[in-house]
Amino acid sequence: SENHPLWTEIDRVTLEQLHYAKLGVGEGGWDIFAEEGEMRMYKREQEIDGRVVDPLKAVHTVKGVTGHEMCHYFFNPDVRMEWETTLEQMTILESVSEDTLVFLQIHKRVWPAAQRDALFWSHIRSVPDARDSDGPRTWIVCNHSTDHDKAPECKNGKYIRVDLTVCMVCQTIVEPPKNGAEVTRDNLTCKVTYCSEINPGGWAPAAALRAVYKREYPKFLKKFTHYVYEQCKNKPILF
Ligand SMILES: O=S(=O)(CCO)c1ccc(-c2ccc(C3CCCC3)c([C@@H]3C[C@@H]3c3ccccn3)c2)cc1
């Protein structure tokens, strides 16, 4: 897919998001707004043209799965409706390559805002790291809004199109078992960083939208990570 017209942007945005995900939440005005077990969610209150576009950064630690497994399930369209409860419809408009798809998603209406859709490319890749003696430990999925000639023009379409950039960055930590025993899921920990910037694309009441964000993001990340744990627990480890 290196010669696809989107490739330059996919490569640039994915690497930018990888860097952004690695930045801590110590500086830069992040407010914690949810904390449940190992999951911590931060946001920055930001409005563009009077619209709430609060950037979100979530960190989570999940035992018993690898970063590859977490990103595989986040990327995989076949299982999305299993964990994404706010979707009404999901269509793949283009399969750019094995690791890059273009989605059109229609999200359930969030009262009192008008219903939204999202048109974005989704790219998955492992992040090579010289220190990883036995294979890459970090994986990323990046979702970024794009135009596509197979998508309805949002003008005469029923839905307001959101503008989004999302990344799911997952790092595997293997705690080597005693006396050279085989690695089991008990030795695995996955460090998850999820970042999202969503411009609602049209008017939406700030207070209502912030209430939706506060409710939906923790629910989404808990449900998704639990789903992956359940899917993987009785399967061979995918490093
Ligand atoms: O991580 S993903 O790429 C996973 C693939 O689906 C992704 C996650 C979330 C969205 C999303 C799209 C629209 C809206 C709103 C904006 C105005 C009215 C609808 C929201 C609001 C933030 C709240 C929300 C948060 C989490 C889950 C669902 N809802 C979120 C899109 C993609």
Side-chain angles (χ1 to χ4, degrees), residues 76-96:
N76 182 354
D78 302 340
V79 299
R80 187 155 302 164
M81 299 309 265
E82 310 267 310
W83 55 265
E84 243 285 27
T85 56
T86 66
L87 286 192
E88 202 168 88
Q89 208 179 62
M90 180 201 74
T91 316
I92 298 173
L93 293 186
E94 184 181 355
S95 289
V96 172

Side-chain angles (χ1 to χ4, degrees), residues 74 80 83-84 86-87 105 107 110 116 120 143 162 164 166 194 198 200 209 212-213 216-217 220:
F74 187 71
R80 187 155 302 164
W83 55 265
E84 243 285 27
T86 66
L87 286 192
Q105 295 194 158
H107 281 253
V110 170
R116 257 73 179 178
F120 57 92
N143 296 343
V162 300
L164 65 82
V166 161
Y194 173 83
I198 295 181
L209 213 47
V212 169
Y213 284 28
E216 291 296 335
Y217 274 118
F220 145 73

Side-chain angles (χ1 to χ4, degrees), residues 83-179:
W83 55 265
E84 243 285 27
T85 56
T86 66
L87 286 192
E88 202 168 88
Q89 208 179 62
M90 180 201 74
T91 316
I92 298 173
L93 293 186
E94 184 181 355
S95 289
V96 172
S97 61
E98 276 286 292
D99 59 16
T100 305
L101 302 169
V102 178
F103 289 97
L104 178 62
Q105 295 194 158
I106 297 171
H107 281 253
K108 288 175 184 165
R109 185 163 177 233
V110 170
W111 186 89
Q115 193 163 14
R116 257 73 179 178
D117 69 9
L119 172 60
F120 57 92
W121 51 255
S122 182
H123 174 62
I124 184 171
R125 75 165 72 170
S126 63
V127 181
D129 182 327
R131 291 163 296 177
D132 297 347
S133 48
D134 42 7
R137 287 186 312 174
T138 301
W139 284 75
I140 178 170
V141 176
C142 185
N143 296 343
H144 182 75
S145 289
T146 186
D147 291 324
H148 201 275
D149 49 22
K150 280 174 72 178
E153 273 302 302
C154 46
K155 281 181 277 302
N156 54 31
K158 275 174 48 190
Y159 312 107
I160 295 182
R161 182 143 306 156
V162 300
D163 185 49
L164 65 82
T165 300
V166 161
C167 73
M168 175 70 81
V169 178
C170 298
Q171 183 181 19
T172 311
I173 315 278
V174 181
E175 158 220 325
K178 307 269 177 293
N179 50 53

